[in-house]
Structures are given as C-alpha cells and as structure tokens.
Amino acid sequence: MAAAAAAALSRRLGAAVRGLSGAWHGRHMAAAGRAIRTRLPLVDLVLEVRDARIPASSAFEPLRSRPLEPDSRRVVVLNKADLADPSETEKWLAYMKQRSCPCIAVNSHNRESIKELLSVVRSRIREIKFGESDCTGTVLLVGIPNVGKSAIVNAMHRIGRIGAAEKGKLKHAIVSSHPGETRDISGYKVASHPNIYVLDTPGVLSPRFVNDDSGYRLALTGAIRDSLLEEYVIAQFLLAIVNSREEYRKWENLNQVGDSFSCGNAITSRSHNKERQYASDHTQDFIVKAVRQVLFETISSFKGDLGKEDEFRRLLDCQFVSLQEAFRVSTESSEDMHKPVALKLLNLYRTGRLGHYTLDHVPDVRQEVAA
C-alpha cells in the first residue's frame, strides 16, 4: 500500500540527482577513468567491486563501454554483503552465475571473507598463468566511489603479507565513508607463489546513468556526496523504504512498559539513565534502540492511508519530529533540526544499524531472454 507513495519519493530524489547534471564527475574522476581504461588490457585480472545493496546500480560503467575479453579476466565482488539482505544477495549470486559472470559476496571487515576472496584471486591468476607458481600476476581493483575498494585492498594486503611471512612496513590505502577520497592508483602485494599485486584505483562514477532508477539508490548508499543534495530529501527516501517494508516489525519487542507514542504528541516517555551523558554519540546501542522503537511505533500506530502521498508525507513529518528526540537533537526551529536528524539517520542506515535493505531487485532472466 505504501509502495506507490515511496515510488513518488524515489522519483523526486531521482529528479534531484539528474538536476545535478553530473556535478559529481570532476576532472580528477575523468582523469582516473582514462587511466583505468589504459590499464585494463595490461593487467591479468580485474576485480569489479560493487555495493551488495545495489548490485546493478553500482556497476562500473567503463567496463560496459570496453568489455573484457575473455570474461574469465573479471570477477565481480559484492562488497558490504553484511549490510544487504542475505536472501537477496544469494539471488544476485545465482543470477550472476546464470550470466556466466564469476561473482563473490564479501565483507571487507571480516577476515574469513577476505581470505575467501584471496583464494579466488589466487585460483584465477594460476589459471591465467597456466599453473605457474614462480610468476607475477597483476589485479586491477575498480568500482564506483564508496563501495569499499580501499578497505578491501588494505585487508588483502594485510592478510597476504602475513601469509607470505614477509617483513616490512604495511602500506595503507585511505579509507573514508565519503566518496572520492582515493585520487591515485597505488600497488599492493597481496600474495606470494605466485606473486600477486593489486592496483587500487579511484572510484569513477559516470556523469550519466544508464538507468534512471540508479541515481536515488546511489545517493542513499553514499556513492554521491550528500553535500551535493539535500540530506533531508535522501532521508525521506530512506524512511519511505523502511515504512514500506517489513523489517520494522522485528523491532516490536523493543517497546518497554511505560513507553508511549502519539502522532499528535511526538514526545516519547522513556527513562533517562546515566547513558544520557553520551547523547552526542548517536551510534550508541541505547540511541539506536530508541530510533528503532520510534520507527516501529510511528508506523504501526499511524491511522492514515499510506497509499496516498499526502498521508504518507504526514507520517514522514511525524517521524522526523520523533527522531529529533531519539537522536537528542535540540534546535530552536523545526527547520534547523532536519539536517542533523537526516545525517544521523543516514549514517545508521549506511552502517547497517537500521536493518539490511537491498535496493536493486534481481532481474527476471526469462524476461531478459524474451527481450
């Protein structure tokens, strides 16, 4: 019922992204794209890193315009699998397998996950080098901004060096929650016998999207800088997703005796214990719990028709007011509180604290064949 209203918000955010006219695609990104295209035919293997929450929208555009030959030279890495819906990730892995595209889901912060990725890379390099152990393989790591390429290469470099029992200072790629931090191509040794070097590259996002639906999904997952858009609009889209899916029902048991909520009175009565002294840190468990509780209560107690856009917006307004208290945001005007509430809410989503949402649906293979 809420899907139609959520779709209207997604169109609004998509229009805002299109209105930027590729403002995220600066000179450094254009130069990086050219440098990557130059290196594509020179490396042995390409790891295309995508965001597991948006496997289609986060595809690396330069690979579309210059496909690799043969296909065995590319492996798609669905990073941030810990933030995506596990069942949807499995569907995407099956879909990629049907398309004869090697694919692996990873969590760059999980040691075992990176070990599995290293194993795949070693196996591919050995195949390409016809089983030689005393050789050197080069791997190009590519992807759009903020999909976790640098976190992956750091983890591979650290584990690979330990496995090779080599001494020397570890190199570190810059890791940031903001897109566009990596500006240069740098090499990292990740394995011995065979020797494997990974080239970490800057994120490149096309100035134009093949699919109009990609823009708002890229904005929500952080591939486009929030400063280019209105954070409040992005957060509205996030709330539309939360409100139209079933994840929030899992938070029903967070409600405690004495807690209450009313859309007419957005003040929620909760016990204020000593944890309040850390109110500036919105990532603390007790604040995340309060945010989840507010979202459950506002959705489940709303009496309006969520199929109507104006009623849906009334719910969003109600939620923002309630989230202001949950996040301990204190401002004099209601307009000023929108930005800090939106930024905190987006941060919780992007770190998986609000549940696991996959935004790209797996294409229907039957329809693709028919087309």
Side-chain angles (χ1 to χ4, degrees), residues 28-29 32 174 180-185 201-203 225:
H28 77 279
M29 195 173 287
I174 298 174
E181 294 298 327
T182 301
R183 295 298 182 98
D184 302 308
I185 297 178
T201 65
R225 284 186 179 274

Side-chain angles (χ1 to χ4, degrees), residues 239 242-243 248 251 254-255 259-263 266-270 286-302 315-328 341 345 354:
L239 286 178
V242 175
N243 294 341
Y248 76 91
W251 304 330
L254 294 177
N255 192 36
D259 292 339
S260 62
F261 173 83
S262 169
C263 272
I267 302 301
T268 311
S269 59
R270 297 183 178 88
F286 81 100
I287 291 185
V288 175
K289 178 181 176 181
V291 170
R292 289 178 172 184
Q293 183 178 327
V294 159
L295 293 176
F296 171 78
E297 292 176 346
T298 50
I299 301 170
S300 58
S301 66
F302 190 71
L315 170 59
L316 297 182
D317 291 340
C318 187
Q319 288 177 316
F320 259 91
V321 173
S322 300
L323 287 170
Q324 180 181 6
E325 186 199 0
F327 281 127
R328 275 61 171 178
V341 169
L345 191 64
L354 288 184

Side-chain angles (χ1 to χ4, degrees), residues 58-349:
S58 58
F60 190 61
E61 190 60 31
L63 293 184
R64 295 178 189 266
S65 58
R66 186 173 183 172
L68 293 173
E69 295 293 345
D71 288 339
S72 60
R73 288 187 55 219
R74 179 180 66 156
V75 174
V76 173
V77 181
L78 299 182
N79 191 30
K80 304 187 180 183
D82 54 311
L83 305 181
D85 183 333
S87 62
E88 289 297 311
T89 299
E90 289 299 321
K91 292 177 184 177
W92 271 104
L93 291 172
Y95 170 76
M96 300 296 274
K97 184 177 181 180
Q98 285 180 300
R99 299 290 299 270
S100 300
C101 179
C103 184
I104 180 174
V106 305
N107 170 7
S108 61
H109 302 292
N110 182 281
R111 182 181 178 85
E112 295 305 315
S113 183
I114 295 299
K115 281 185 175 180
E116 184 180 355
L117 175 59
L118 275 170
S119 178
V120 170
V121 171
R122 286 194 187 96
S123 176
R124 288 287 175 184
I125 291 296
R126 288 194 184 100
E127 290 175 8
I128 293 169
K129 298 293 184 177
F130 302 104
E132 295 181 43
S133 59
D134 188 19
C135 64
T136 298
T138 53
V139 180
L140 193 65
L141 196 69
V142 301
I144 67 171
N146 211 21
V147 290
K149 297 184 300 298
S150 295
I152 286 177
V153 78
N154 280 340
M156 293 176 72
H157 179 51
R158 181 170 58 253
I159 294 173
R161 288 287 295 274
I162 293 173
E166 295 187 10
K167 296 181 180 179
K169 185 177 181 180
L170 288 170
K171 294 172 64 176
H172 293 283
I174 298 174
V175 177
S176 172
S177 59
H178 301 292
E181 294 298 327
T182 301
R183 295 298 182 98
D184 302 308
I185 297 178
S186 302
Y188 301 82
K189 187 174 183 179
V190 300
S192 298
H193 309 296
N195 296 315
I196 301 177
Y197 292 85
V198 173
L199 301 178
D200 183 28
T201 65
V204 176
L205 190 60
S206 174
R208 292 176 298 277
F209 303 132
V210 175
N211 188 336
D212 285 342
D213 291 339
S214 299
Y216 58 81
R217 293 167 182 163
L218 292 166
L220 179 55
T221 52
I224 299 173
R225 284 186 179 274
D226 291 339
S227 58
L228 293 176
L229 294 158
E230 187 178 349
E231 293 90 348
Y232 177 53
V233 176
I234 305 175
Q236 280 186 317
F237 173 54
L238 168 59
L239 286 178
I241 293 173
V242 175
N243 294 341
S244 59
R245 300 196 183 181
E246 299 296 314
E247 182 83 13
Y248 76 91
R249 296 186 183 277
K250 300 177 183 178
W251 304 330
E252 181 176 8
N253 293 332
L254 294 177
N255 192 36
Q256 299 176 356
V257 177
D259 292 339
S260 62
F261 173 83
S262 169
C263 272
N265 178 12
I267 302 301
T268 311
S269 59
R270 297 183 178 88
S271 59
H272 300 287
N273 54 30
K274 62 182 180 181
E275 291 174 314
R276 189 175 175 82
Q277 63 184 304
Y278 306 113
S280 60
D281 182 5
H282 67 281
T283 64
Q284 290 184 104
D285 288 343
F286 81 100
I287 291 185
V288 175
K289 178 181 176 181
V291 170
R292 289 178 172 184
Q293 183 178 327
V294 159
L295 293 176
F296 171 78
E297 292 176 346
T298 50
I299 301 170
S300 58
S301 66
F302 190 71
K303 304 303 182 184
D305 183 357
L306 294 181
K308 297 180 179 179
E309 187 175 349
D310 57 339
E311 290 287 287
F312 197 84
R313 288 184 179 279
R314 186 162 69 87
L315 170 59
L316 297 182
D317 291 340
C318 187
Q319 288 177 316
F320 259 91
V321 173
S322 300
L323 287 170
Q324 180 181 6
E325 186 199 0
F327 281 127
R328 275 61 171 178
V329 173
S330 177
T331 56
E332 294 182 0
S333 71
S334 59
E335 183 179 354
D336 292 338
M337 69 90 178
H338 283 160
K339 183 172 182 177
V341 169
L343 287 173
K344 292 175 187 292
L345 191 64
L346 290 173
N347 175 260
L348 292 188
Y349 162 73

Side-chain angles (χ1 to χ4, degrees), residues 37-56:
R37 288 185 180 91
T38 300
R39 285 167 173 78
L40 278 174
L42 306 177
V43 298
D44 298 304
L45 184 68
V46 174
L47 291 184
E48 181 193 353
V49 183
R50 302 188 188 183
D51 189 322
R53 296 168 296 182
I54 48 171

